[in-house]
Amino acid sequence: MLKDLALFNKIANLLLKSEEEHPIANPIPPEDLYDKLDISLGAAPASETFFEKTIEDLILSTPRTATKLFFNQLFGGRNSKATLGDLLAVLLNNSMYTYKVAGPQVGIEKEILHKVCDIIGYPKDSDGTFAPGGSMSNFMAMLMARDAYNSSIKTEGVTQKLTLYTSAESHYSIPKNAAFIGVGREQVRHIETNKNGQMISEKLESKITEDLANGFHPFFVNATAGTTVLGAFDDIPLLSLICRKFNLWLHVDGAYCGSVIFSSKYKHLITGLEQADSFSFNAHKMLGTPLTCSIIVTKHKKHLYDSFSNDAAYLYQTDGDDYNLGKTSIQCGRRNDALKLWVLWKSVGTEGLEKIVDHQFYLAKIARSYIKSNPDYTLYSFDDSISVCFNYKNIPAQTLCTALYKNAELMVGFGTFNNEEFVRLVTINTKNTEKEILAFFKAIEKFVAKDPAFQGTEVFEQ
Ligand SMILES: *Cc1c(COP(=O)(O)O)cnc(C)c1O
């Protein structure tokens, strides 16, 4: 083990140094992959030097998500404390299903869950779990809602025409999960949003009324705290009112921006969260822990147990259910995703988490000011969002993002809203400062100016 740890250190040092010098790894086109790298597996063992070299090549050729030029996704950067926690979790290799096997790590997970419930104002007997990502957190919420609506579904299967509601801007995991839970994609009602990307509550209410009149069984509403493209926040109090009126489960999908719960300045964006039946957020997005670190909490501990516990005499042999986390999780064997967040949280305190969140909004503000003050840019996103959506000189966003990627200049993606396509800059890497944000725009400008394909911008005007 020590020898491999030394190798790990060696490769990690190489990578960190290389990331400084080349924040973007030269992309390898998929058709060249097997020629460029020795990926094939053979019958004979690799010689030691060859083995090391192969691993180094592989690591150094992999896209770099921790650098100052990665703006492509809703995660980025590298928090060293959280990385330390995750490395230790790998070394320990516990499975989080029982106290017997995970010991104090169970306490770590429970402490985070209780703290989160406390911060959002959930009652004492609330509970939650770590799921393998935001999509799976949504899946768990939808399952609990389904079983809470009709507990016989667990044994008999779905026999009613159930319907569920989410905004047109919400994450694709909602329809996908609708299929998984036996409700079906076509029973998902995508409710129209207003010009800021928030679900229109009147449209929600009229759709529910219409469905009831047609013999459907509405059971679940998903609100989004930070939509995937615009970073918009649905109005929780308005949606909550409707859910109470029709007795529907309200889930808040905060995978992207739910971490605003830690910020006194921005938690107004999730006002009313305590009224929701369940809430999830990804610490691997705004808080910057390594993937994956997704938390789901619910006010209804009973439903968490009812939907997910299963007796297994070969597994649950000691300690109470409260310490055997397998009774409330979707998996059997389960990674320790809690330790990375706990190590980060312990080291910076809740105040430190607040700073992480606030800094991202500050960076977004800088980006928006730059765009607003420069006539070559058009802004499509709004204040109070860490997704900054824009176009430059009418160049189609897809063309620009792809060219930047292929030329190893920048990693940034594009999105659409209301039939407009635009570049989506995500200011989620807390390591960045004003300097990196301004450098991002300069890099685009320089690239466009020097690439002949972009000369004569009128080509792109419609
Ligand atoms: C990222 C995201 C998800 C999915 O989370 P994963 O961890 O990628 O599965 C769900 N909902 C929203 C709003 C997201 O932004």
Side-chain angles (χ1 to χ4, degrees):
M1 186 72 222
L2 288 180
K3 199 167 149 224
D4 282 327
L5 273 183
L7 178 59
F8 174 83
N9 260 319
K10 185 180 158 213
I11 295 174
N13 280 313
L14 273 177
L15 177 65
L16 294 186
K17 191 157 166 280
S18 180
E19 282 178 347
E20 280 293 318
E21 290 160 6
H22 310 283
I24 303 269
N26 275 324
I28 304 175
E31 59 274 19
D32 299 344
L33 185 57
Y34 289 85
D35 296 330
K36 286 251 159 93
L37 294 172
D38 178 25
I39 286 179
S40 66
L41 296 168
S47 78
E48 198 164 324
T49 41
F50 191 69
F51 169 75
E52 280 194 29
K53 175 81 178 68
T54 307
I55 293 185
E56 262 175 44
D57 286 350
L58 176 67
I59 299 305
L60 295 178
S61 317
T62 298
R64 298 175 175 182
T65 65
T67 70
K68 60 184 180 188
L69 293 182
F70 182 82
F71 299 97
N72 204 70
Q73 234 69 45
L74 306 181
F75 70 92
R78 181 184 294 117
N79 180 290
S80 69
K81 289 290 186 289
T83 304
L84 168 69
D86 211 13
L87 290 172
L88 291 171
V90 168
L91 204 59
L92 284 167
N93 199 34
N94 302 102
S95 179
M96 297 298 277
Y97 39 39
T98 63
Y99 191 81
K100 190 178 181 187
V101 171
Q105 300 300 325
V106 169
I108 297 289
E109 177 160 330
K110 284 169 71 77
E111 173 64 12
I112 294 173
L113 294 170
H114 290 159
K115 206 79 200 175
V116 167
C117 288
D118 207 38
I119 287 170
I120 65 179
Y122 265 11
K124 268 264 165 304
D125 72 332
S126 309
D127 207 351
T129 186
F130 280 65
S135 303
M136 285 296 107
S137 284
N138 288 342
F139 177 57
M140 294 186 78
M142 291 164 79
L143 261 180
M144 283 189 285
R146 187 200 71 178
D147 297 348
Y149 182 77
N150 179 353
S151 62
S152 68
I153 291 177
K154 271 196 304 174
T155 44
E156 288 161 32
V158 179
T159 53
Q160 296 154 302
K161 291 199 290 180
L162 299 176
T163 49
L164 63 95
Y165 305 79
T166 191
S167 91
E169 289 300 302
S170 65
H171 192 256
Y172 73 86
S173 58
I174 303 295
K176 191 165 153 178
N177 289 330
F180 294 175
I181 65 171
V183 166
R185 284 171 181 266
E186 285 182 10
Q187 313 312 333
V188 178
R189 309 300 189 228
H190 288 283
I191 307 298
E192 199 183 310
T193 63
N194 63 22
K195 66 178 187 353
N196 292 343
Q198 302 168 294
M199 197 193 308
I200 301 173
S201 59
E202 292 82 9
K203 302 255 179 197
L204 170 65
E205 180 156 5
S206 61
K207 190 67 193 167
I208 294 170
T209 312
E210 182 193 320
D211 279 337
L212 283 169
N214 289 327
F216 287 102
H217 294 260
F219 74 102
F220 174 84
V221 173
N222 173 66
T224 309
T227 57
T228 309
V229 175
L230 286 180
F233 289 79
D234 284 334
D235 188 317
I236 301 173
L238 278 180
L239 303 185
S240 167
L241 218 60
I242 295 170
C243 287
R244 258 176 295 163
K245 180 168 169 187
F246 293 99
N247 203 14
L248 313 181
W249 183 290
L250 176 62
H251 173 64
V252 176
D253 172 8
Y256 181 16
C257 296
S259 296
V260 295
I261 59 169
F262 297 106
S263 164
S264 18
K265 203 162 162 195
Y266 293 100
K267 70 176 173 207
H268 68 90
L269 295 167
I270 42 90
T271 297
L273 181 58
E274 71 286 350
Q275 296 160 27
D277 298 284
S278 55
F279 165 63
S280 54
F281 73 102
N282 282 353
H284 69 250
K285 287 185 172 169
M286 283 189 93
L287 297 185
T289 71
L291 286 149
T292 53
C293 191
S294 186
I295 291 160
I296 169 157
V297 289
T298 173
K299 266 183 188 167
H300 314 289
K301 190 173 182 165
K302 173 187 171 338
H303 289 307
L304 189 65
Y305 276 90
D306 285 356
S307 290
F308 297 104
S309 77
N310 209 101
D311 283 332
Y314 49 81
L315 184 60
Y316 303 111
Q317 298 177 340
T318 65
D319 309 297
D321 278 358
D322 262 359
Y323 285 83
N324 287 331
L325 300 179
K327 292 267 175 164
T328 48
S329 76
I330 200 167
Q331 302 124 285
C332 174
R334 191 164 61 103
R335 261 191 121 250
N336 179 358
D337 284 333
L339 187 59
K340 54 193 150 193
L341 176 55
W342 185 86
V343 169
L344 165 63
W345 198 336
K346 188 79 177 167
S347 84
V348 300
T350 314
E351 295 164 15
L353 301 184
E354 173 166 33
K355 284 197 187 117
I356 289 175
V357 170
D358 287 357
H359 185 64
Q360 291 164 33
F361 283 99
Y362 160 77
L363 293 177
K365 202 176 260 181
I366 287 172
R368 278 191 303 271
S369 310
Y370 183 84
I371 290 169
K372 284 181 194 164
S373 68
N374 190 325
D376 285 336
Y377 289 87
T378 320
L379 182 67
Y380 297 90
S381 57
F382 312 98
D383 289 356
D384 285 342
S385 162
I386 63 163
S387 291
V388 181
C389 304
F390 67 88
N391 275 326
Y392 179 59
K393 289 190 167 177
N394 291 326
I395 301 170
Q398 183 168 354
T399 312
L400 181 59
C401 294
T402 307
L404 287 164
Y405 160 67
K406 291 206 162 148
N407 289 280
E409 297 278 345
L410 270 182
M411 300 255 306
V412 66
F414 54 93
T416 50
F417 178 65
N418 277 351
N419 300 320
E420 295 275 11
E421 192 174 87
F422 40 66
V423 181
R424 182 192 61 174
L425 161 67
V426 187
T427 58
I428 206 157
N429 178 353
T430 307
K431 282 278 150 53
N432 283 340
T433 63
E434 176 168 9
K435 187 173 145 228
E436 282 77 33
I437 299 301
L438 297 180
F440 165 86
F441 292 111
K442 290 290 170 239
I444 291 181
E445 290 159 20
K446 232 173 101 188
F447 178 70
V448 169
K450 79 162 194 250
D451 191 323
F454 294 114
Q455 297 316 310
T457 54
E458 63 281 353
V459 172
F460 298 108
E461 259 147 7
Q462 273 112 34

